[in-house]
Every structure is written in structure tokens, then in C-alpha cells.
DNA sequence: TCGCGTTACTAACCCGTGTCAGTCAAAAAA
DNA sequence: TTTTTTGACTGACACGGGTTAGTAACGCGA
């Protein structure tokens, strides 16, 4: 910038005024043109580091991901989510920093990012949603948005309507004649998403006057293999279900496998409905009926929300809840 | 830092010396202790922006991804790759910036990142590997590592041995008695990965004395649906193959679907082998025989390589080629 | 007592930018 | 003619650190 100033025969201040289009700095058109010309010739590009230093903004938002390698390899959600986030924030000149929080290093691994002024705000994905560090940072005034629901109602978050989605799924099974309906969760019930989905399941049953039977409720944990045993258990129970609501497509793959393993068929012997609608659910045998979760739009919303918070907008409600959608394919069928 | 200096009754310089453990600055233990104590009390954290400005380093590496939303939703590779990269670079205090390059904005969208000093280096994923911008940046001296192979041999890159992997796949089919073997690519043949895999396919055929038949070679494009039609075409041909090597698991899913669609069975009527070994390949019906690509390790290697380049290490060879592994499951079977 | 080498620091400059408070000459108003 | 206003700029400080060159005080040997 100093070079440009020298070359154009003006002060650095003037160059700054011109390049930033500062109002009330009456620079005549001739000078302005000359400066722009020189800047172009000298191939001037501002140093954002210096800019950040003086403005106090980093134009950077961190996405904190805590997943094992195994989870990551299964996960198509995060990719779509990232795409949604970047689409919004890059349009406003922000960038996304992806940070993998180590499961064993319990704290301050990501708090450091904001304390050292590396980023302006934090997007935190679900397993960390109840981390005390999150609470602390939020109370310190750090712009933060959770992806997933917590019990902490005052922290901004973005999530899908899990209860409603589960309700819709089970309602669908009931509508097509099922009364004995099992459930395998997507994750341990300590996760809010799991307990919310369970609640939706129970609500649908209650409305239809079906008794809640604890023997029909099993716990899955993210992976296909975690759906295998629970499904076997359901099939082997004295009074097996005619339909099962699985809280995650990925877990449902293991469940499908288990049904085949016992020599039964989907959907003739058991109907199965999943949750998430990942791409591969179209290609299982049979294609999986499921509840669609708009991963891209969740990311998009999270991006919008964090930007608003960073820019100090006062919003009436900091929580975004997106609707789900029932996608009927071939793994569920009318009970004769 | 000025606060710490004032509180400790020393100059800012001294504080800097102590905090950075500068050699040859003989600060007595007493003073050192006092400064550290005050820094702790005042909860001092350095401002990395300021540090970056003075050191000229940003401790930031960008990963440039160019994928459509649809590709992203299928992709489990990128997630694992990211995990590999962050594992290495965060250990050295670097961070990863993920940038989604718009397919329509052809250039300088990511070059800007390095020119404005936002990042110290670039990791570029495959669709962009032949982008002229890449060439330009490399020639300008930007530290850059490609994920995927190009014809430009002088640019550092990380990739799997595509030719060898394909060779192994087809060799496997030949070993179990197949002679009429089709191929559906993972991507258009303009992609280096596709043409390399095709080459491996041809090499295996040639070695076994099998004539290369162009009618048996089809083109896929990333998605399951792009594997559907080509497979139908192969099945409907006058002399259909008894086995097909598909250049991508994802595309293979569509192929499996096509086989069922025509009322045939895998592997009894056609054997199918994929490429990538994504998690879901274990859960197709039948589970897919495939070639494993170490996504995490590719990311890890890419991270190591870019750090070495940034730190100015002169390496004999800037190209990393990782081996693949044959994973035999149930979609391939001995030809009677 | 003087000179010199250590020890324990510090003043001042630099990185690349934004921005406020002036400055100076020319034009307009009194 | 003198004063005021306007136009066109610029000097200097700030952001939060790293670093080089230098200095004051002290101890020690001659």
C-alpha cells in the first residue's frame, strides 16, 4: 500500500480512502482513478492479517466436530452441513475453520480458538452440546451456535424437529395398520436427539391408544453394527413387532441385515422406517422408508444465525427448528 | 501484554522475552516467575492476529473442495480426509480452512486466500487438479498439494495407486475364472483417476491374453444413478459380461440396482467389484467386493506434505502414492 | 580510581492497515 | 481587504505483538 502511495504521488491515507471508498473524503475523480490504476498495475492485494488486527475481526468461524474416525467415515451429514455453512458465510466474506476436537482432550481445545482471537464465532456439533466449556464460552459472550438441541434453552441452536419427525414416522406405521411397533434409537438416550425421538414415538403410540412396551425399545449407537443385535433381540422376543422405527438410517442398515440374518423379509415380515434419509437409503434392499433431515439447510441456517449474532443483531428467538419430511419407499408396507 | 508488563513492573519487551523463552536474554529466575505469575493472574492470551502480522505466517491451511451439493451428500471420503489432515496439522498448531469453490466461478476464488495472506498453503481436491489457477499459484511459489493425480508431475500431490488398484480388481476377477469382464468408470475419462483405472483394467486383461472390447467399457459419473444405465446396457448387450469392475462403490450401487431390475442376481449371474470401500459397501445385498482406498491416510499424508513444503524442507520427491487393498466380500464369485 | 565486562533490562522500530484530527492553499463571503 | 469556508490531502496514532541495538548499574581486576 505504501508502494501504491509513493507511485501515485499521494499519501498512504489517501490510498486507503480510495480503496475503501470512504465517504466524506472528497477525493477528486482524477486522483481516484490514478490510484486505482497504480494499485492494479502493482497488483496490490491487502493483507488481511493486518486488517484483522486493526478491525478486531477475523472473518473466521470455527466448526467444532467431535467424532471418531469411524463415525466420520459413516457420516454424510457433516459434509452437507459444511457446504450449507460455507455457502452463507463465504457470501459475506467469512471463512470456515474446521476443528476436530479430540474426544480425550476434554476442554479448552476449542475455547482457545476464540480466546486467541483466531475466530469470531463457534459452531458446535451435537456430541459436545452439553460440554461445560460451551456454557462457559457462551456466558463470556462468545458468539456460538449449537447444531443439535440441549436443555440449555438460552444458547442459540439449530436443529431438526426430532419429536415431530419421530411422531410422523410412527404415525405412518400406525396408519398402515401396525400396532406392535418397536424402536431402535440412533444414539444413547443421554443424547437429546435420541430422547426427543423416543418421545415422538411414545406420543404417537399414546394417541393411537397403544400401550408403551419397554421390551420393544432398544438402543443403537450411530453405526450399522449397533443396529444388528437390537434387531435380533426384537425378532427373537416372544411377541415380536410387525414394524420397527429406527432412529437413524445408518443404524437401520444393520437392522435390515439382522432381518435377513434370521431369514425374514422386509417389509413382508417386518416393516422398517429409518431417520435422516441419507443418499444410500435409496439403494438398500428394499429401499428404505425414512424421515428426511435437511442437512444442507441446517448448515445454512446455522451460518445465517451465527453471522447475525456476530453482527450484534438482537433477535427475538435464537433457536431454529427445521421440519422433517416423510419419504415413503419400500421398506414399510400395509399390515394385512 | 502491556498490562502484564505494567503489573509486573517491567517493560513489555521483558514480558515478551519471558513468554517466548527467548534464549540469550538473561532474565533472572525471580523476574521470570513474577511475570509468569502476573500473566496467569491477568489471564493473558496472545492475540494470534497480531502474531501473524509480525511473523508473516497465518498457521492456516486451506482445503479447496469443488463439489456440487449432490456430490457432497454422497461423499464420505472428504470427511475422512479432513480428519486425517486436521490430525497432522493441528498437532503443529496449524488449522484447516475449508473452502467450497463454486463450480461456476471459475477462478481466483481460492487464489485470493493465499494472496491476501489468509492461509499459508493450499490443499486442492481432485476436480480442480487441472485448473490453470493451480499451475499459476504453484509457479508463484505457493505451497500447494493436490489430492489426486495430474499430468503436471512437478506439483506435489497425494493419491492412491489407481492403476494398481484397478489392476488388482480385474486380476481378482480373472483369477476366479472370468474372461468377459466389463467396466464402468467412476467419473468421465477426462479425470485422471478414471483413465488410470481404465489403464489398470486394460493391463490386467492384456496380461491374461483377453482382448480389450470397447463395447464393455462404460462411463459413470460419481452417483449411483450414473451406474444404473451403463449396467443395463452391459446386461442387454449381445454378449453380456460375467463380471464387471466398477470404478467406484457409489456408482456400483446403481449397478447392483440395475442387475436386480433386469431380474438377474449378483453374484450368480454377474460378479461385481467396486472401488473405494466406503462403509456402506458392507451393507449392500450382497456385500460388495471392492478395493479399499485409505481416505484418512491420504489426508494425513497430504497434511504432512504441505507442512514440510511450508517449512521449506527440500524433499527428493514431492509425490505420495499410497497402495490400495483388495477386500473380498460376496458380490464376486468363481465362474463355474 | 579507572576501565571493562556482565547482568538485567528497555527504547524504539517494524509488520500493514484504518482513521481522526489537522494543514494548507484556493475560493467564497463579508 | 480580511475573514471564512471548502477542497484535497496528510501526519500521526492505534492494533498487539517480535526483535535489535543500546544503556544503566554493578562487580571485579589492575
Amino acid at each position: 500500500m505504501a508502494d501504491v502511495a509513493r507511485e501515485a504521488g499521494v499519501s498512504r491515507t489517501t490510498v486507503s480512502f480510495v480503496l475503501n471508498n470512504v465517504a466524506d473524503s472528497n477525493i477528486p475523480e482524477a486522483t481516484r482513478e490514478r490510484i486505482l490504476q497504480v494499485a492494479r498495475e502493482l497488483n496490490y492485494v491487502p493483507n488481511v492479517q493486518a486488517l484483522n488486527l486493526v478491525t478486531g475481526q477475523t472473518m473466521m468461524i470455527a466448526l467444532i466436530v467431535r467424532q471418531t474416525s469411524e463415525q466420520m467415515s459413516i457420516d454424510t451429514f457433516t459434509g452437507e452441513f459444511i457446504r450449507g455453512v460455507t455457502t452463507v458465510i463465504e457470501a459475506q466474506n467469512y471463512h470456515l475453520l474446521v476443528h476436530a476436537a479430540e474426544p480425550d482432550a476434554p476442554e479448552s481445545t476449542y475455547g482457545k480458538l476464540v480466546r486467541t482471537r483466531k475466530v469470531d464465532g463457534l459452531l458446535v456439533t451435537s456430541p459436545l452440546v452439553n460440554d461445560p466449556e460451551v456454557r462457559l464460552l457462551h456466558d463470556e459472550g462468545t458468539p456460538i451456535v449449537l447444531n443439535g438441541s440441549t436443555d440449555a434453552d438460552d444458547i442459540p441452536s439449530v436443529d431438526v424437529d426430532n419429536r415431530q419427525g419421530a411422531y410422523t414416522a410412527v404415525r405412518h406405521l400406525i396408519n398402515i395398520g401396525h400396532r406392535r411397533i418397536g424402536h431402535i434409537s440412533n444414539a444413547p438416550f443421554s443424547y437429546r436427539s435420541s430422547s426427543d425421538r423416543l418421545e415422538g414415538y411414545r406420543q404417537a403410540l399414546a394417541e393411537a391408544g397403544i400401550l408403551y412396551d419397554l421390551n420393544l425399545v432398544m438402543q443403537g449407537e450411530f453405526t450399522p453394527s449397533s443396529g444388528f443385535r437390537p434387531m435380533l433381540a426384537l425378532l427373537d422376543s416372544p411377541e415380536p413387532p410387525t414394524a420397527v422405527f429406527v432412529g437413524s438410517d445408518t443404524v437401520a442398515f444393520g437392522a435390515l441385515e439382522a432381518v435377513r440374518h434370521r431369514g425374514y423379509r422386509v417389509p413382508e415380515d417386518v416393516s422398517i422406517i429409518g431417520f435422516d434419509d441419507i443418499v444410500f437409503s435409496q439403494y438398500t434392499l428394499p429401499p428404505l422408508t425414512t424421515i428426511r433431515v435437511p442437512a444442507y439447510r441446517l448448515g445454512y441456517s446455522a451460518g445465517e444465525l451465527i453471522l447475525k449474532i456476530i453482527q450484534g443483531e438482537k433477535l427475538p428467538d435464537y433457536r431454529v427448528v427445521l421440519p422433517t419430511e416423510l419419504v415413503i419407499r419400500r421398506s414399510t408396507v400395509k399390515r394385512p
Side-chain angles (χ1 to χ4, degrees), chain A residues 169-190:
Chain A
V170 178
R171 187 76 220 160
H172 169 65
L173 296 174
I174 293 170
N175 284 344
I176 58 179
H178 295 274
R179 306 274 308 167
R180 187 135 184 91
I181 300 172
H183 175 49
I184 301 173
S185 75
N186 57 312
F189 289 109
S190 55

Side-chain angles (χ1 to χ4, degrees), chain A residues 127-206:
Chain A
L128 289 163
V129 135
N130 283 308
D131 198 350
E133 177 89 352
V134 166
R135 166 96 272 156
L136 192 65
L137 287 166
H138 177 256
D139 291 347
E140 281 176 6
T142 306
I144 193 166
V145 170
L146 308 178
N147 165 30
S149 305
T150 359
D151 304 322
D153 285 359
D154 57 330
I155 304 181
S157 68
V158 162
D159 203 359
V160 103
D161 193 335
N162 285 300
R163 204 196 43 69
Q164 177 66 35
Y167 173 84
T168 305
V170 178
R171 187 76 220 160
H172 169 65
L173 296 174
I174 293 170
N175 284 344
I176 58 179
H178 295 274
R179 306 274 308 167
R180 187 135 184 91
I181 300 172
H183 175 49
I184 301 173
S185 75
N186 57 312
F189 289 109
S190 55
Y191 282 72
R192 183 65 184 268
S193 62
S194 297
S195 61
D196 281 357
R197 289 174 198 182
L198 178 62
E199 205 185 293
Y201 163 79
R202 295 188 62 167
Q203 184 188 341
L205 292 186

Side-chain angles (χ1 to χ4, degrees), chain A residues 30 36 52 59 69 87 94 105 129 135 174 181 193 209 247 284 292-293 301 306 312 334:
Chain A
L36 290 175
N52 293 343
M59 308 305 280
S69 236
T87 301
Y94 278 79
V129 135
R135 166 96 272 156
I174 293 170
I181 300 172
S193 62
T284 52
R292 176 170 301 156
V293 170
S301 299
I306 192 87
K334 201 164 206 154

Side-chain angles (χ1 to χ4, degrees), chain A residues 166-273:
Chain A
Y167 173 84
T168 305
V170 178
R171 187 76 220 160
H172 169 65
L173 296 174
I174 293 170
N175 284 344
I176 58 179
H178 295 274
R179 306 274 308 167
R180 187 135 184 91
I181 300 172
H183 175 49
I184 301 173
S185 75
N186 57 312
F189 289 109
S190 55
Y191 282 72
R192 183 65 184 268
S193 62
S194 297
S195 61
D196 281 357
R197 289 174 198 182
L198 178 62
E199 205 185 293
Y201 163 79
R202 295 188 62 167
Q203 184 188 341
L205 292 186
E207 268 187 24
I210 301 172
L211 272 183
Y212 175 61
D213 183 350
L214 243 172
N215 296 316
L216 291 182
V217 176
M218 303 280 160
Q219 181 177 298
E221 277 182 72
F222 314 111
T223 65
S225 60
S226 79
F228 190 81
R229 282 177 179 287
M231 190 67 197
L232 287 186
L234 287 176
L235 293 172
D236 295 344
S237 67
E239 230 181 314
T242 64
V244 176
F245 161 53
V246 185
S248 141
D249 284 1
T250 309
V251 175
F253 294 163
L256 286 174
E257 181 82 2
V259 175
R260 280 196 290 270
H261 190 75
R262 276 288 178 269
Y264 296 126
R265 288 160 309 162
V266 176
E268 292 82 350
D269 301 314
V270 212
S271 284
I272 291 190
I273 186 168

